[in-house]
Amino acid sequence: MDFTLSEEQKAFQESARQFADKELKPHAAKWDAEAHFPVDVIKRAGELGFLSLYTPQAGGGMGLSRLDSTLIIEELARGCTATTAYMTIHNMATWMVASFASDRLQAEWLPSLLHGEKLASYCLTEPNAGSDAASLKTEAHRRDDQYILNGSKMFISGAGSTDLLLVMARTGSLGPKGVSAFLVPADCAGISYGRKEAKMGWNCQPTRAITFDNVRIPERFRLGEEGQGFTFAMKGLDGGRINIATCSIGTAQAALETARDYMLERQQFGNKLADFQALQFKLADMATELVAARHMVRLAAFQLDQAHPEASTYSAMAKRFATDAGFKVCNDALQLHGGYGYIRDYPLERFVRDCRVHQILEGTNEIMRVIIARRILLQQSFEVIR
């Protein structure tokens, strides 16, 4: 078991770090304050392959492992959490198109998705179906060679500013086996978008509700067979949970570095903050929790790469632990800054606001605990409790 990164992996990190330092970090505060969605920068990320990290090479993507992808995502998140988080959602949608769509659909959409010429939104959450995704109500009724979509989605990242909607809708009975997946052009007749939500964080990516009113789409826009949508959605979310956990790690790393630098500069009572042992202990705990979270995320990514039978559980564990730990590191870093941490001249308050939502997305952390507990209780041989 070798935890040392290869030279190639270090090169991935360095490439992402340079992009983050040049294209993301200098603008993140302004984008947040102005609620600006930096489509032009996202497209430049696509030119470097950052929008198709683990999309297979056969589909035109970089074909990286999930582990290698976390190295890039972490560095990008150090520059701008919210923009990187959207890019991970686009990555997930692009991978799903490459993995589950027909050859014809892939030919129509993948070339523009891979390079950011067109952007995608993932449409699963509904007003009454958040973490309980299997209870979604949006319906797709088949009529001849078409489907007619009716229903609504909410909290959809990028909605109103993206080109393609990956929609989960009910085509059959209640429960997960009645859900199918569809690619829906975002400008189809009958689609309307709600107001841009005024959010605590993630302000540089728009979030809106979407309403489908008798939206007609060709049968060929379906991914796979009827009833496979929930399986596709959960496969996407296994990686999505690792992605969002990685965003927390990257942001926490930036917060830790900012706090360290502040402690070495700020003086109180005639001494630098770094000279006070209590604050040294706080910084040590922050670093320890961050390293533990990073390794749990990388373990989950490795297990997903290996198609481990409990990869979903590892993903849930990583998401639960890393998003909690990441938020705590950011919050502690703010506390170390005192009043300065609370004002927008410093990035700490933005780190806290942007990281807080990670504990809610891709299934709340309470749901992650349910997933983990059920696997432990149902599988007496589940290896992680040995």
Side-chain angles (χ1 to χ4, degrees):
M1 186 178 295
D2 186 357
F3 292 97
T4 305
L5 298 182
S6 68
E7 292 304 313
E8 184 179 42
Q9 289 173 322
K10 292 177 182 178
F12 291 150
Q13 277 186 320
E14 181 59 26
S15 176
R17 184 180 299 120
Q18 289 180 6
F19 183 85
D21 288 344
K22 179 182 178 181
E23 300 282 2
L24 300 178
K25 185 176 179 179
H27 312 292
K30 183 178 181 181
W31 294 341
D32 174 71
E34 298 178 357
H36 172 68
F37 188 39
V39 173
D40 54 337
V41 175
I42 292 172
K43 289 182 178 179
R44 288 200 287 276
E47 294 170 1
L48 295 175
F50 295 158
L51 298 184
S52 57
L53 293 174
Y54 47 88
T55 297
Q57 289 183 339
M62 290 185 68
L64 299 182
S65 68
R66 299 305 179 103
L67 177 57
D68 288 350
S69 298
T70 66
L71 305 178
I72 292 173
I73 293 169
E74 179 179 338
E75 293 300 327
L76 295 176
R78 288 175 66 250
C80 180
T81 311
T83 302
T84 302
Y86 171 75
M87 289 194 281
T88 70
I89 295 168
H90 179 89
N91 262 283
M92 178 175 67
T94 301
W95 172 80
M96 292 177 73
V97 173
S99 300
F100 308 125
S102 66
D103 291 343
R104 183 177 175 182
L105 280 176
Q106 289 187 38
E108 290 176 4
W109 285 103
L110 272 183
S112 55
L113 292 173
L114 293 170
H115 304 295
E117 296 167 7
K118 292 186 178 180
L119 300 177
S121 290
Y122 181 75
C123 305
L124 177 63
T125 302
E126 297 184 0
N128 294 306
S131 296
D132 183 14
S135 67
L136 61 84
K137 303 297 183 186
T138 296
E139 296 180 331
H141 290 292
R142 189 169 180 173
R143 184 175 298 174
D144 299 324
D145 61 348
Q146 292 184 324
Y147 283 94
I148 302 175
L149 265 65
N150 283 284
S152 60
K153 300 292 182 179
M154 69 183 304
F155 301 144
I156 304 303
S157 292
S161 299
T162 52
D163 307 284
L164 180 66
L165 309 177
L166 203 164
V167 179
M168 302 298 161
R170 187 163 302 284
T171 55
S173 60
L174 296 176
K177 294 183 179 180
V179 177
S180 299
F182 300 89
L183 296 186
V184 183
D187 58 356
C188 279
I191 296 179
S192 59
Y193 297 93
R195 66 178 177 84
K196 185 165 69 172
E197 300 289 355
K199 307 189 298 291
M200 173 181 173
W202 273 25
N203 289 319
C204 63
Q205 54 162 288
T207 302
R208 291 183 172 91
I210 306 177
T211 300
F212 302 93
D213 184 9
N214 290 321
V215 176
R216 295 177 179 270
I217 56 172
E219 176 188 357
R220 67 181 186 86
F221 282 16
R222 189 187 66 227
L223 302 187
E225 301 298 326
E226 281 197 1
Q228 290 187 302
F230 188 78
T231 298
F232 295 162
M234 293 303 102
K235 287 183 177 179
L237 286 179
D238 280 344
R241 286 166 180 160
I242 292 172
N243 291 346
I244 213 68
T246 307
C247 286
S248 288
I249 297 303
T251 310
Q253 180 67 43
L256 179 66
E257 293 170 0
T258 304
R260 175 204 60 199
D261 294 345
Y262 183 78
M263 287 176 61
L264 290 169
E265 295 173 1
R266 174 72 168 171
Q267 292 197 2
Q268 289 288 279
F269 307 105
N271 293 288
K272 293 180 180 179
L273 294 186
D275 294 333
F276 292 94
Q277 191 176 62
L279 301 186
Q280 293 173 6
F281 286 176
K282 172 60 71 177
L283 199 68
D285 289 342
M286 292 162 62
T288 301
E289 291 166 9
L290 175 57
V291 170
R294 177 180 290 119
H295 282 288
M296 177 165 277
V297 168
R298 291 182 181 177
L299 171 62
F302 175 80
Q303 300 291 39
L304 193 57
D305 286 329
Q306 301 302 311
H308 190 283
E310 293 293 348
S312 295
T313 311
Y314 281 102
S315 296
M317 287 178 166
K319 194 270 180 182
R320 203 293 299 165
F321 186 80
T323 58
D324 283 350
F327 175 77
K328 186 175 186 301
V329 169
C330 291
N331 195 48
D332 287 346
L334 186 153
Q335 187 71 23
L336 287 171
H337 279 70
Y340 289 110
Y342 200 67
I343 62 175
R344 293 194 173 184
D345 291 344
Y346 290 77
L348 281 307
E349 57 85 28
R350 173 164 45 86
F351 293 161
V352 169
R353 288 187 288 107
D354 283 345
C355 261
R356 182 61 181 88
V357 73
H358 299 170
Q359 297 170 294
I360 301 170
L361 292 176
E362 314 291 9
T364 65
N365 281 0
E366 288 70 29
I367 294 298
M368 296 303 100
R369 291 182 174 94
V370 171
I371 292 171
I372 296 162
R374 284 179 177 175
R375 295 307 299 165
I376 293 172
L377 293 170
L378 292 175
Q379 300 289 329
Q380 293 183 1
S381 62
F382 183 39
E383 67 178 52
V384 299
I385 62 173
R386 290 181 180 176

